[in-house]
Amino acid sequence: MAGLSASDLMLLAAVLVPLVLALAAIKPFVRRRVDVLLLVAPLPGLLAAVAVPLGQSVLVVPSPFRLTFALDLPGAVLLGGAALLWLAAGAYAVCYLRSDPARGAFSVWWLLTLAGSFAVFLVADVASFYLAYALVSFSAFGLATHDDTVAARRAGRVYLALTVFGEALLIAAFVMLAASVTEPNPLIRDAVAGLPASPWRGAILALLLVGFGMKMGLFPLHVWMPLAHAVAPVPGSAVLSGIVVKAGLIGLIRFLPAGTPWFDWGAGLLAAGLFTAFYGVAIGLTQRHPKRVLAYSTVSQMGVVAAVLGVGLKTGDATVPVLAAFYGFNHMLLKGAMFLTVGVAAACPRRRLVPVLVVAAVLGLSLAGLPFTGGALAKFAVKEPVGDGLAGLLLALSAVGTTVLMARYVLLLADVGAGATATGGSVAPGLRVPWAVLSAAAVGLPFALFTAVTGTSLALLFSLDTLIKGLWPVALGLGVAALIYQKPPKFVEVPAGDILVAAAPLARLYQHVRDGAVLLDTLLRRWSTAALALVLLALVLGYVMAGVAFPPHSAP
């Protein structure tokens, strides 16, 4: 492509390479090389995140259609983390699905989801963002339903219904947002710049928050997460929880106005995020499988990120989106590694389970913010804009809940390992190596990025005051966990999807309404009934038109 620089080509390759591989994998002879496909596809994205200068943009298709790729700091952080997770989870999937007869079909969905997830971090115009967002959303359906069990099909139906609902809200928001700009397909930054002057700004913000909040799993739109994450294959769960939910995060980062305070909307998002953070912990503690615990943990952590974005929207702090992206990066790697740990524990002989549980505990404590781990850096990064007031205290208490929830995860993981049927001497290298590399990256890599992303010196993290603030929630959480699990209570497990169960009577009412509508449609399709209805409709319309043409007060 003449006129394109090396940086331009790297941006394009990040999306086009996995997309072309996905299309090629439709052919059976290509699908047979699934191991090569899954390992090669993330590499252009990783290269783009590392090597392309920030601020680089390329116009691929000119106006009026316009397809623009651009790399900014939040996009680079999330793109790099996603590429690492796709690479590790892809290597893991090659071994995990080796004997699965449907692994070729899985690879097609995998590559399409990968292409869409990279695209949402890179595209800079409104229409292209919507297409990328739709690609990652609908392709993830194939990952969640791969096992084709009854539970997988139910999870797929719920996920698809909420996805369509969220997409409908977002396309309405994008149309109204673009209406304030004269260009047919504006850049996202130009469209957002016109939001304060838009007569529909309240409606636009509401649609954006609900649409993107569904993908992030904010209450009450979180129900797809525990259903889908629990039934997907382990590598599929890792990318669903680690990457797919970040499509909602980058959406809020891109489309929420930064630098201008929107007090009421910010306070609403802050409240919704805090409630979601505690709700995810509370329901997660009742779960009896580690994958469902991790799914509700993701609900909780996305609530924390939403609360931080709410503070930024409330105060007009333009630095918050970058800090939220860094928090998302940390969660991306940690949660991906923790899902892979479930598969490793299930394949691990019982006598070799202890090292796996130790790694799982370190990952869980890092998620809670244990000092000297990457999670502590993420907590520190978002604490400054939140402050030490009530919101800061509630976020600290959510870290206490996360610690207790991660203790639950490790105990359940021990049960999974104790029931493992593995008889070999060790876990297969195809599972063990990607898991170990990703776990090490999750704990240590945030140290390499912290100063570059936040502009804060690492030295501040090692002051006594900072260490105490980071340590007390984890210590308190461990103390609470020890008290609870010394004599484990009999938790009544809340079914995955929680509020869907509570809404079962509404589902029955909907079924009755639907059956009634079908019966009415059947009656109206009969010629005699339809003819009578048409005559009555004509009489009513004639009466109305006569009233309009000859109103009563027009008589002399």
Side-chain angles (χ1 to χ4, degrees):
M1 299 174 68
L4 294 180
S5 67
S7 295
D8 294 337
L9 292 174
M10 283 188 280
L11 287 180
L12 295 178
V15 176
L16 292 181
V17 168
L19 189 58
V20 169
L21 290 177
L23 296 176
I26 296 175
K27 295 294 184 180
F29 72 90
V30 177
R31 284 203 303 272
R32 285 194 288 270
R33 303 304 304 164
V34 62
D35 49 346
V36 176
L37 297 179
L38 300 192
L39 294 176
V40 169
L43 294 178
L46 182 61
L47 180 63
V50 173
V52 173
L54 294 179
Q56 181 76 23
S57 65
V58 52
L59 179 64
V60 182
V61 180
S63 185
F65 302 104
R66 175 183 281 163
L67 171 59
T68 308
F69 285 66
L71 188 70
D72 60 1
L73 186 52
V77 170
L78 291 172
L79 176 65
L84 287 172
L85 179 49
W86 279 114
L87 189 59
Y92 188 100
V94 170
C95 179
Y96 186 87
L97 299 171
R98 180 164 293 158
S99 59
D100 189 335
R103 69 189 187 123
F106 180 85
S107 68
V108 175
W109 292 114
W110 181 276
L111 292 167
L112 288 173
T113 310
L114 191 161
S117 71
F118 283 1
V120 293
F121 300 139
L122 291 174
V123 292
D125 59 275
V126 174
S128 300
F129 183 90
Y130 178 77
L131 293 175
Y133 191 86
L135 178 60
V136 68
S137 296
F138 288 106
S139 300
F141 170 84
L143 301 183
T145 60
H146 172 73
D147 286 344
D148 199 31
T149 61
V150 173
R153 288 192 291 271
R154 175 174 179 256
R157 288 194 299 269
V158 172
Y159 173 75
L160 202 56
L162 287 175
T163 295
V164 171
F165 172 69
E167 299 282 329
L169 298 183
L170 289 177
I171 197 169
F174 292 167
V175 168
M176 289 190 287
L177 194 61
S180 61
V181 183
T182 57
E183 295 178 274
N185 176 25
L187 294 175
I188 295 173
R189 66 167 182 262
D190 295 336
V192 174
L195 179 59
S198 173
W200 310 298
R201 55 186 175 273
I204 292 171
L205 279 173
L207 292 170
L208 291 173
L209 291 175
V210 176
F212 289 128
M214 188 283 298
K215 187 65 67 189
M216 290 178 66
L218 300 186
F219 180 91
L221 301 173
H222 66 286
V223 292
W224 69 271
M225 274 196 194
L227 292 172
H229 295 182
V231 299
V234 166
S237 298
V239 296
L240 283 171
S241 187
I243 298 172
V244 172
V245 299
K246 303 308 183 297
L249 172 58
I250 195 64
L252 290 181
I253 289 174
R254 292 277 188 259
F255 286 91
L256 290 183
T260 304
W262 296 68
F263 186 87
D264 292 339
W265 290 101
L269 183 56
L270 171 62
L274 288 173
F275 181 85
T276 301
F278 286 98
Y279 183 87
V281 168
I283 305 301
L285 286 172
T286 72
Q287 302 303 302
R288 296 175 183 171
H289 193 282
K291 287 178 71 176
R292 288 196 293 272
V293 171
L294 292 178
Y296 277 106
S297 169
T298 296
V299 172
S300 178
Q301 290 299 305
M302 290 302 99
V304 171
V305 179
V308 173
L309 288 172
V311 170
L313 188 61
K314 178 182 174 183
T315 61
D317 188 344
T319 66
V320 166
V322 175
L323 302 180
F326 182 71
Y327 195 97
F329 168 86
N330 175 74
H331 176 266
M332 187 182 285
L333 297 184
L334 282 173
K335 195 55 61 73
M338 284 191 277
F339 269 107
L340 297 190
T341 306
V342 177
V344 171
C348 186
R350 185 171 184 177
R351 60 191 176 85
R352 298 198 175 206
L353 186 60
V354 172
V356 177
L357 297 180
V358 170
V359 172
V362 172
L363 294 171
L365 292 176
S366 179
L367 187 68
L370 180 70
F372 305 110
T373 64
L377 275 65
K379 295 286 185 184
F380 182 87
V382 300
K383 186 170 179 57
E384 184 174 351
V386 173
D388 294 322
L390 178 60
L393 176 61
L394 290 175
L395 284 182
L397 291 176
S398 76
V400 176
T402 297
T403 306
V404 180
L405 188 60
M406 289 299 98
R408 174 77 170 164
Y409 160 69
V410 174
L411 291 175
L412 291 174
L413 202 63
D415 292 339
V416 169
T421 59
T423 57
S426 62
V427 181
L431 301 181
R432 185 177 68 248
V433 173
W435 162 73
V437 171
L438 184 61
S439 298
V443 175
L445 194 56
F447 285 90
L449 297 180
F450 179 77
T451 300
V453 173
T454 66
T456 303
S457 172
L458 280 173
L460 292 177
L461 297 170
F462 303 109
S463 67
L464 182 60
D465 180 63
T466 302
L467 290 176
I468 291 175
K469 287 181 178 179
L471 186 59
W472 76 260
V474 177
L476 179 58
L478 288 175
V480 171
L483 290 175
I484 291 177
Y485 299 122
Q486 185 176 11
K487 187 178 180 182
K490 293 182 179 180
F491 289 109
V492 177
E493 184 177 30
V494 176
D498 48 277
I499 63 173
L500 286 180
V501 179
L506 294 178
R508 287 192 291 271
L509 176 61
Y510 164 77
Q511 185 175 3
H512 291 317
V513 172
R514 183 192 64 187
D515 293 343
V518 170
L519 178 61
L520 179 62
D521 178 71
T522 302
L523 290 174
L524 291 176
R525 286 175 182 272
R526 295 176 181 173
W527 168 246
S528 57
T529 306
L532 178 61
L534 187 60
V535 170
L536 291 175
L537 180 62
L539 291 174
V540 171
L541 288 175
Y543 178 79
V544 171
M545 293 176 66
V548 172
F550 306 103
H553 64 271
S554 64

